[in-house]
């Protein structure tokens, strides 16, 4: 069957690429600077909304954004001095994501998301191996805050990652994007309705997840596996399904990556995340209703005082910034969005768990990929002209 790329499909592919690039990639988000990247993203989103309007379904999803903006404004009134432009960046990314995702059908989006992420892995994984085994004919470029090779992030100035990070600032961020591709296809995996090309693409993405050597990524992958095989585990296929999931879980939990993190009390990553989480939890307790301000001087000073150095938990970061009312709103819209996209019963709980774990692993919550479940459009009968 001949592959036909329509104008509508092309603009959708561009939208997916920008959603991924604006979600913290070094080659786009950091090289251009967040300000320019967010402006381009929002400008394209406005064009996309004008030329790709699916109609309807916009008022409800926009309610989450307007209420969140209201919480930010209230918090800002108590903590008016800003340390950076995070609040503005949040608005640009969230509004741009709304304009794109609320006008993109779920089935069409997930197919294109899978293809684009597959291509990113297919390009970046060979470069990762060439660098890792020191046989690369390409030079490593020092960009100041990170090191890259042919656009692929390979390390910090202090040394190589020795883990797969793709185009993102670290492997932990990369695994979020990769695992999300699998989460979007959970229903298809459960129903054994994957095409041959989708299976091949998922295998490559799965290899990418394994190469990230991310403890959080591995545990999220285990949750995804449990969700995909849950029906079989609870059926007459209980024994073989249980053996497969148990074996995969055992391999993941006993891997060097996880065991080093668990047993090595001096792990810099573990200590940093523990410090961040405890500090931000304390900040939430101190300002539960209005937060410390998104990107405010007060938030920065209190973070430094309590030992929150990197805001590594996105959900706690936003809660400490704008308060618990935002957290309640976020969880409510997240559950509604997951349900609307067709994840029901036990799948809803597993998807919710996996997504919350991803957002608690990195400060990723302001980036476009984090709005997929809250804002993405769903239709039982999407126009075939919008698909490819």
């Amino acid at each position: 069957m001949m592959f036909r790329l329509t104008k509508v499909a092309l603009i959708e592919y561009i939208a997916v690429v920008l959603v991924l690039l604006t979600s913290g990639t070094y080659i786009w988000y950091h090289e251009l600077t967040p300000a320019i990247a967010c402006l381009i993203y929002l400008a394209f989103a406005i064009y996309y909304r004008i030329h790709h309007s699916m109609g309807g379904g916009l008022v409800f999803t926009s309610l989450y954004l307007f209420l969140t903006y209201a919480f930010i404004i209230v918090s800002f009134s108590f903590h008016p001095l800003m340390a950076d432009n995070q609040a503005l960046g949040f608005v640009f990314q969230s509004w741009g994501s709304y304009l794109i995702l609320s006008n993109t059908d779920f089935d069409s989006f997930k197919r294109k998301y899978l293809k684009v992420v597959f291509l990113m892995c297919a390009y970046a994984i060979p470069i990762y191996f060439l660098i890792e085994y020191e046989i690369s004919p390409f030079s490593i470029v020092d960009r100041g805050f990170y090191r890259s090779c042919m656009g692929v992030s390979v390390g910090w100035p202090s040394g190589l990652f020795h883990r797969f990070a793709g185009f993102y600032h670290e492997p932990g961020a990369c695994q979020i994007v990769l695992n999300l591709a699998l989460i979007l296809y959970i229903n298809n995996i459960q129903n054994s309705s994957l095409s041959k090309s989708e299976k091949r693409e998922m295998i490559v993405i799965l290899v990418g997840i394994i190469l990230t050597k991310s403890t959080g990524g591995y545990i999220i992958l285990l949750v995804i596996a449990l969700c995909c095989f849950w029906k079989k585990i609870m059926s007459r296929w209980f024994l073989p399904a249980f053996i497969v999931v148990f074996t995969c879980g055992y391999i993941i939990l006993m891997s060097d990556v996880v065991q080093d993190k668990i047993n090595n009390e001096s792990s810099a990553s573990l200590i940093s995340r523990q410090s961040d989480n405890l500090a931000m939890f304390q900040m939430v307790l101190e300002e539960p209703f209005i937060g410390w301000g998104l990107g405010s001087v007060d938030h920065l000073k209190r973070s430094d005082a309590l030992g929150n150095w990197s805001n590594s938990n996105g959900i706690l970061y936003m809660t400490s910034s704008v308060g618990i009312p935002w957290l309640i709103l976020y969880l409510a819209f997240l559950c509604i969005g997951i349900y609307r996209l067709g994840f029901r019963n036990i799948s809803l709980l597993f998807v919710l768990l996996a997504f919350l774990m991803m957002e608690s692993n990195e400060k990723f919550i302001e980036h476009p990929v984090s709005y997929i479940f809250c804002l993405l459009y769903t239709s039982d009968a999407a126009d075939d002209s919008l698909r490819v």
Side-chain angles (χ1 to χ4, degrees), residues 330-357:
Y330 176 70
L331 292 176
F333 272 83
L334 186 58
C335 289
I336 293 170
I338 292 172
Y339 182 85
R340 287 174 58 248
L341 294 178
F343 299 98
R344 309 289 167 81
N345 304 319
I346 195 69
S347 292
L348 189 153
L349 296 178
F350 277 121
V351 171
L352 178 64
L353 175 61
F355 194 75
L356 289 177
M357 290 175 65

Side-chain angles (χ1 to χ4, degrees), residues 277-293:
N277 288 335
L278 290 173
M280 284 188 285
F281 186 70
Q282 178 65 31
M283 292 170 70
V284 172
L285 294 178
E286 293 174 350
E287 290 281 13
F289 300 112
I290 60 171
W292 288 88

Side-chain angles (χ1 to χ4, degrees), residues 107-115 118 181-182 184-185 187-189 192-206 388:
D107 289 333
S108 178
F109 178 86
K110 75 178 184 181
R111 282 195 295 273
K112 292 174 176 62
Y113 185 96
L114 182 70
K115 290 180 185 297
F118 159 72
L182 303 184
L184 294 176
Y185 271 86
N187 286 338
N188 300 81
I189 298 172
S192 302
S193 59
L194 294 171
S195 66
K196 289 183 179 180
S197 62
E198 289 170 341
K199 290 177 181 177
R200 288 194 296 267
E201 289 159 359
M202 284 191 181
I203 289 173
V204 173
I205 292 172
L206 183 60
V388 98

Side-chain angles (χ1 to χ4, degrees), residues 103-147:
N103 284 285
T104 306
D105 175 67
F106 174 58
D107 289 333
S108 178
F109 178 86
K110 75 178 184 181
R111 282 195 295 273
K112 292 174 176 62
Y113 185 96
L114 182 70
K115 290 180 185 297
V116 174
V117 172
F118 159 72
L119 291 173
M120 290 171 68
C121 287
Y123 173 83
I125 288 176
I127 293 176
Y128 162 79
F129 278 120
L130 290 174
I131 295 297
E132 193 66 15
Y133 290 102
E134 300 180 350
I135 55 175
S136 174
F138 312 113
S139 300
I140 296 177
V141 180
D142 190 342
R143 297 288 186 180
F145 293 105
Y146 76 109
R147 303 170 75 188

